[in-house]
Structures are given as C-alpha cells and as structure tokens.
Amino acid sequence: MVLGWNAVPDAVAYQLYERNPATGSYTLVKKLTGTSYTHPVGHDETPHTYVVRALDATGNPGPYSKPVTSDGIDRAAPAAPVNLHVTPGRTRVLLTWNAPEHPTTDELVNDASFTVLRSKGTRLGADAVRVRCAEESGTFNPSRKEYSFVCYDESWELDTTYTYGVVFTDWQGNESAPSPTVTVATADRVAPRPVTGLTATPRADGVLLRWNASTEDDIASYRALRGARQTDGSVKWLGTCALGQDDPTAALCTDVPNGESYVYAVYAVDKWGNATATADWATVTATELDTTPAEPISQDKDPLYGGGGWTVSEDARPVEWHCSGAVCASVTEYRVSRWNPETRTYDLLGTVAPTSAYYQSYDDPAQPLGSISYYRVVGVLADGTETAAAHPWKIRPDLV
C-alpha cells in the first residue's frame, strides 16, 4: 500500500496506524518524518484501513486523520516503458527499452512483466501480435537509476515492415499504454545486384579501381580483390584491395608495379550480410605499370638484404634492411640512395650509422606520394670498400 498525506505545520514526525479488522483497534505501523510510506501487505485482496497523526517537537500528538480504506486491489496501470530501440539483424530483431528504478522494482518483485507487441505495417494496430522473446534479460544502471531490458524476436518474416511497441503489465493484470513505437524493415536474403562500370587504372602505387554506386538502398559496403588468371581460365584470388576512405566506390590495389597482368573484381555486400554471387562479380583485367629499376629487388645476397612493403596509410615509412654475417661488425656507415626514374640513376640521399638493432633504417620523408620508391643501400667498411648492395623499397599509397 502506497500511502501519502499533507504536511502539518510544526510537525517533526508522524505516526501511521493500521486498523485490525478483527478487533477494530489500531496498531502502529511506522513512526517517520516524511509524508509518505509504502506498507508491504503481500498479494492479498482484503481491506486495509489507515490513520495518521502528527507529533510536535515535544512529542505531543495531534488528532488522527480521517481513516482511508483500500480493498487491496491494484487498479492503477504502470507507466509505459521508454526509449524503445529496434535493430533488425540477419537472424533476429533486437529490442531494448528502459524503465525507472521506482516503481519498476516493486512491480517486478510482485510478478509484473513486459510484453513486446508487433504489427505489420507502419502503425501498432489492434491486431498486434504478442511476441515471445527468444532471449530476454534486464540490467540495472545505478548511476541512472533505471533498468535496461533486452528482447530478441526470432518470429518475424523476411523483408517485412513491422511496428513494435512494449507494454508493462502488473500482477493484477493492469497494462500500461504502449511505449512510443518504432517501425523497421526486416532482413532479406536477396543478394545485391552486380556492380557496374568497373574500370582499372594502373598507377605507380598500384591499380586504382572505380565503379558506379549501386542504386539499391541497403548496400553496406563493397569488396575489391586482386587475382591471377590460371592456365585453366580460373582465377586465384590473391588478396583484398584498400577501399577508398572518402570515396566508397573506389579502391587501390597496392602492389609493386612490374608490368604484370591481374584480374580485379568488385562486389557488393548489403546490411544483412548478403553478398553478390561470385559468378556475378564485376571483373576487369589490367596490366600494371613497369617501373623496374636498374637493379632488381628481392634478389639481394650477403651481407645486406632489403625489405619492402606498404601500409593503409599515406605517411612516409622508414626504409629498412639488415646485415648478415661477420662483416657487419666492420661496417662504419650505410649509404642510402633512391632510384630516380627520370634519370634512371640512383641519387644519394644520405648516410646512417649502424645500430645494434636487427633492422637498420633510414627516414626518407620525401618519399613521393602515390608512388613506389626503390632504394639502394651499401655498407661502407673501415678500409673504404663497399659491401654488395641491398635493395629495399617502399610504396607510399595515395589513398582515394
């Protein structure tokens, strides 16, 4: 029983009494300073009669209030849930909502429950289905003093518009008004149509792919691949290409531009996880530029070995190599040169002292953007002679 009364001037406390229906006498329930009290009485439906009186600072009691009686039947509907969110997924629909700590806690302890309602279309109608949650849970957030509830609906139909709402029903069957409703479209199993307008443009940092944006409204992303054509006509896919950061219909397939021919493919993926069928991928064949320097890469011999690579970043990266064998202890410095494609010679960039690290490195912030930089590194020995050269390389991609 939730009891409340008006404050009495000069009162410092109150005494709340309940009448014994058998004897008619009143028994003290609680002495308190506030003007409200919740009296636990259990799930009975018998009359309960109460009176209250005020006490002044010296303990003198005022007159009793008029008695109030309840038949023990709760006829008040709970408040409606709030903050309903509905998120359709590939296999089920996630619903979340909130309810305040009070009086939700008391209602839940006394067998209250939430019910998810669902109607086809854009409004919650009288024909709303009561959803049986495949999984449900609730958590309490003490800082916000509210509960968060979760329900998974797995009984929906594909590619259908639904409107959801949630009601709160107490143990007496009093049902709240529905929460503010949410309308969503559920998942489908239809693969996106093939990408159109695919082109491939060879560049010094790889091959740039572009294609037309899909006209479908549920496309989540695209995938771009590079592959090698096999003798039997099939394609062995070698890896993915970096999608455009600002342009969702472009990708850069970064690779050493050495004049090789590859097959490039692009397909779409929708927000439900459906992908264009492999047989419908858009493909194009293109031949890389040939920027091969005077000295080949990836064929280094003792004692220096160069490495190479790139990252999904437009930043310049250190040039790296390592030295192997006893002669490395005699290296006094390393000379680093970069291949000049205009003059077809190696231009000296500078020198760097050896370190104890396995990989030696040189920072070249002037690496050309959107290009591959080929380097030539030699170790200078104490007698002035040079070791065989290493040929590290770096691609600094100009991402789209």
Side-chain angles (χ1 to χ4, degrees):
M1 296 296 177
V2 180
L3 299 134
W5 53 89
N6 296 331
V8 174
D10 300 326
V12 298
Y14 299 91
Q15 290 176 325
L16 175 66
Y17 293 85
E18 181 183 17
R19 186 170 68 88
N20 186 320
T23 64
S25 61
Y26 283 88
T27 302
L28 180 66
V29 173
K30 184 77 173 179
K31 181 181 179 181
L32 65 166
T33 58
T35 57
S36 64
Y37 181 67
T38 299
H39 184 208
V41 296
H43 282 183
D44 64 355
E45 296 183 4
T46 58
H48 293 264
T49 301
Y50 299 90
V51 294
V52 66
R53 65 180 180 178
L55 302 177
D56 63 18
T58 60
N60 298 312
Y64 290 102
S65 67
K66 291 183 179 179
V68 294
T69 301
S70 169
D71 60 6
I73 299 176
D74 180 4
R75 296 179 177 84
V82 297
N83 300 330
L84 175 63
H85 294 276
V86 184
T87 306
R90 182 172 173 82
T91 60
R92 54 188 184 174
V93 176
L94 167 65
L95 298 97
T96 62
W97 63 89
N98 297 118
E101 176 183 10
H102 299 294
T104 305
T105 298
D106 182 61
E107 297 281 15
L108 290 174
V109 168
N110 287 282
D111 302 327
S113 62
F114 291 96
T115 303
V116 173
L117 304 178
R118 184 190 69 208
S119 288
K120 287 185 177 180
T122 58
R123 60 183 297 274
L124 193 65
D127 61 343
V129 174
R130 292 179 173 260
V131 174
R132 182 179 179 86
C133 298
E135 180 183 335
E136 56 185 324
S137 63
T139 57
F140 178 66
N141 185 330
S143 64
R144 300 182 63 175
K145 296 184 178 180
E146 70 177 12
Y147 288 95
S148 296
F149 296 91
V150 173
C151 169
Y152 288 99
D153 177 15
E154 295 183 351
S155 60
W156 47 273
E157 297 176 18
L158 291 170
D159 198 17
T160 303
T161 297
Y162 287 112
T163 297
Y164 286 89
V166 181
V167 294
F168 191 25
T169 306
D170 66 19
W171 73 286
Q172 290 278 24
N174 301 305
E175 187 172 275
S176 74
S179 67
T181 59
V182 177
T183 300
V184 298
T186 57
D188 60 51
R189 295 290 185 268
V190 180
R193 292 188 293 272
V195 167
T196 62
L198 178 62
T199 62
T201 303
R203 303 194 327 189
D205 56 353
V207 173
L208 176 65
L209 304 180
R210 291 191 182 278
W211 57 92
N212 298 330
S214 174
T215 58
E216 299 177 59
D217 60 6
D218 62 351
I219 300 300
S221 62
Y222 298 94
R223 301 287 188 272
L225 304 172
R226 180 174 67 93
R229 182 75 67 183
Q230 306 299 292
T231 56
D232 61 0
S234 64
V235 178
K236 179 181 180 181
W237 298 108
L238 304 175
T240 59
C241 305
L243 296 174
Q245 296 177 322
D246 301 317
D247 185 352
T249 58
L252 181 62
C253 301
T254 311
D255 190 37
V256 176
N258 55 6
E260 296 179 329
S261 293
Y262 291 100
V263 179
Y264 301 90
V266 174
Y267 63 92
V269 180
D270 67 21
K271 63 183 181 181
W272 313 118
N274 302 307
T276 307
T278 305
D280 293 331
W281 288 0
T283 60
V284 62
T285 300
T287 301
E288 300 172 336
L289 298 179
D290 190 351
T291 62
T292 305
E295 299 177 7
I297 64 174
S298 303
Q299 296 183 27
D300 296 342
K301 299 180 180 179
D302 286 339
L304 300 189
Y305 295 88
W310 63 89
T311 62
V312 185
S313 167
E314 296 176 334
D315 299 333
R317 297 289 174 172
V319 184
E320 294 182 325
W321 65 94
H322 73 272
C323 186
S324 177
V327 70
C328 301
S330 301
V331 175
T332 60
E333 66 177 13
Y334 293 101
R335 292 177 181 168
V336 182
S337 302
R338 186 176 66 215
W339 175 248
N340 186 329
E342 300 296 328
T343 63
R344 295 197 62 80
T345 60
Y346 286 100
D347 296 337
L348 181 64
L349 297 180
T351 61
V352 61
T355 68
S356 59
Y358 179 76
Y359 280 106
Q360 309 298 307
S361 66
Y362 177 87
D363 288 325
D364 178 17
Q367 290 173 7
L369 181 64
S371 183
I372 183 171
S373 294
Y374 298 103
Y375 297 89
R376 187 177 191 274
V377 180
V378 297
V380 180
L381 305 180
D383 60 4
T385 59
E386 296 179 352
T387 66
H391 300 86
W393 52 274
K394 284 290 179 182
I395 296 178
R396 187 182 177 194
D398 186 4
L399 300 176
V400 290

